[in-house]
Amino acid sequence: MATHNRDLGVHTRELARSFGDRTILDHITLTIPPGQFVALLGRSGSGKSTLLRALAGLDHDVRGSGVFRVPAKTSVVFQDSRLLPWQRVLTNVLYGQPRSRRQAGRALLSEVGLAGRERAWPAELSGGEQQRVALARALVADPDLLLADEPFGALDALTRIKMHELLRELVQRHTPTVLLVTHDVDEAITLAQRVLVLDSGRLTVDLPIELPAERDPGAPEFQRIRRTLLTALGVAPVAV
């Protein structure tokens, strides 16, 4: 059972989850300091989304030798924007929030580049715009922890680059602790301060990313980190 974390970071000890005879999370011990941006990589079926769902409080069958702790104010962004198609954009942003957050919702729509689209329907937005709304909805509650499950996986390459820039700006402004689940090694290196690799239910790599805020994929250190992570994922690195 998760408890609220007074220091606003994330702590798990011996976190485990099985489905039948199959172990998905094999006694995960993890600490994420407050304000840190962490990316979680792993092959399909490695347990990434299961870990995120556990931290989000969406899976009540996880277990462990110790209590795992997360901030009380936690928001989640999924690959699918999960907007309510029968509600307008601002109403979607404010879903579950008190009316007192209405101005904050408008301000966040402006931050994500959608000022003036408050009364648009979700169907009138592009995929990238829908994910912008989803980010605004996640941040309107001023969360201490932002969990993101492949939020840009369904977007085209150009839109994904723009969304990387937007997410970086939003995190700098709102300062939540972030755990980003992704299959994209370059995305992880571009955004995160630390990258984890989950393999067969265990954390096999815990790598700090000591790069400038503006990161050049062609830089030697970026490429060195990329090779390290691809090797850990069992993929032969390709020179770029």
Side-chain angles (χ1 to χ4, degrees):
M1 180 68 69
T3 62
H4 300 336
N5 185 358
R6 293 180 180 178
D7 67 8
L8 307 182
V10 172
H11 302 276
T12 77
R13 188 175 67 193
E14 298 292 317
L15 190 67
R17 180 66 163 100
S18 298
F19 293 91
D21 295 332
R22 185 184 177 198
T23 298
I24 303 299
L25 299 178
D26 191 1
H27 301 90
I28 299 290
T29 295
L30 172 65
T31 296
I32 303 176
Q36 189 174 64
F37 193 132
V38 176
L40 179 63
L41 289 166
R43 288 172 284 190
S44 295
S46 61
K48 303 185 302 301
S49 294
T50 301
L51 176 58
L52 185 141
R53 287 176 57 84
L55 296 178
L58 300 176
D59 186 344
H60 301 292
D61 292 321
V62 293
R63 54 189 173 79
S65 64
V67 175
F68 70 92
R69 304 194 305 275
V70 296
K73 295 168 64 178
T74 296
S75 292
V76 186
V77 182
F78 299 95
Q79 181 172 338
D80 182 338
S81 64
R82 304 198 179 189
L83 302 183
L84 302 176
W86 58 88
Q87 298 286 4
R88 297 184 187 272
V89 163
L90 181 58
T91 305
N92 268 284
V93 170
L94 294 171
Y95 183 76
Q97 298 298 315
R99 290 186 62 84
S100 60
R101 298 300 293 168
R102 192 172 184 84
Q103 189 56 41
R106 290 181 179 276
L108 272 161
L109 282 173
S110 180
E111 286 186 49
V112 300
L114 291 176
R117 305 299 303 278
E118 292 87 353
R119 291 190 55 77
W121 298 103
E124 298 172 347
L125 305 180
S126 68
E129 288 172 333
Q130 291 180 17
Q131 282 302 87
R132 288 171 184 263
V133 176
L135 282 172
R137 181 180 58 195
L139 291 170
V140 74
D142 194 23
D144 297 308
L145 174 63
L146 178 63
L147 300 169
D149 193 359
E150 299 188 68
F152 313 132
L155 304 179
D156 64 84
L158 182 58
T159 302
R160 193 179 304 125
I161 291 171
K162 293 179 179 178
M163 293 298 288
H164 289 169
E165 296 172 356
L166 174 62
L167 180 59
R168 187 185 297 114
E169 292 171 2
L170 291 170
V171 169
Q172 289 175 348
R173 189 175 300 126
H174 295 274
T175 66
T177 304
V178 181
L179 179 61
L180 169 72
V181 167
T182 179
H183 280 103
D184 188 331
V185 171
D186 288 354
E187 179 172 87
I189 303 171
T190 295
L191 291 171
Q193 298 168 301
R194 175 184 173 198
V195 178
L196 308 174
V197 174
L198 189 63
D199 185 20
S200 300
R202 290 181 174 271
L203 292 173
T204 57
V205 172
D206 186 341
L207 183 66
I209 307 298
E210 298 175 349
L211 293 172
E214 297 297 326
R215 298 175 183 181
D216 177 8
E221 182 61 11
F222 190 108
Q223 287 301 307
R224 185 193 67 78
I225 295 170
R226 186 174 186 271
R227 287 192 297 270
T228 297
L229 293 172
L230 286 172
T231 299
L233 291 164
V235 179
V238 177
V240 296

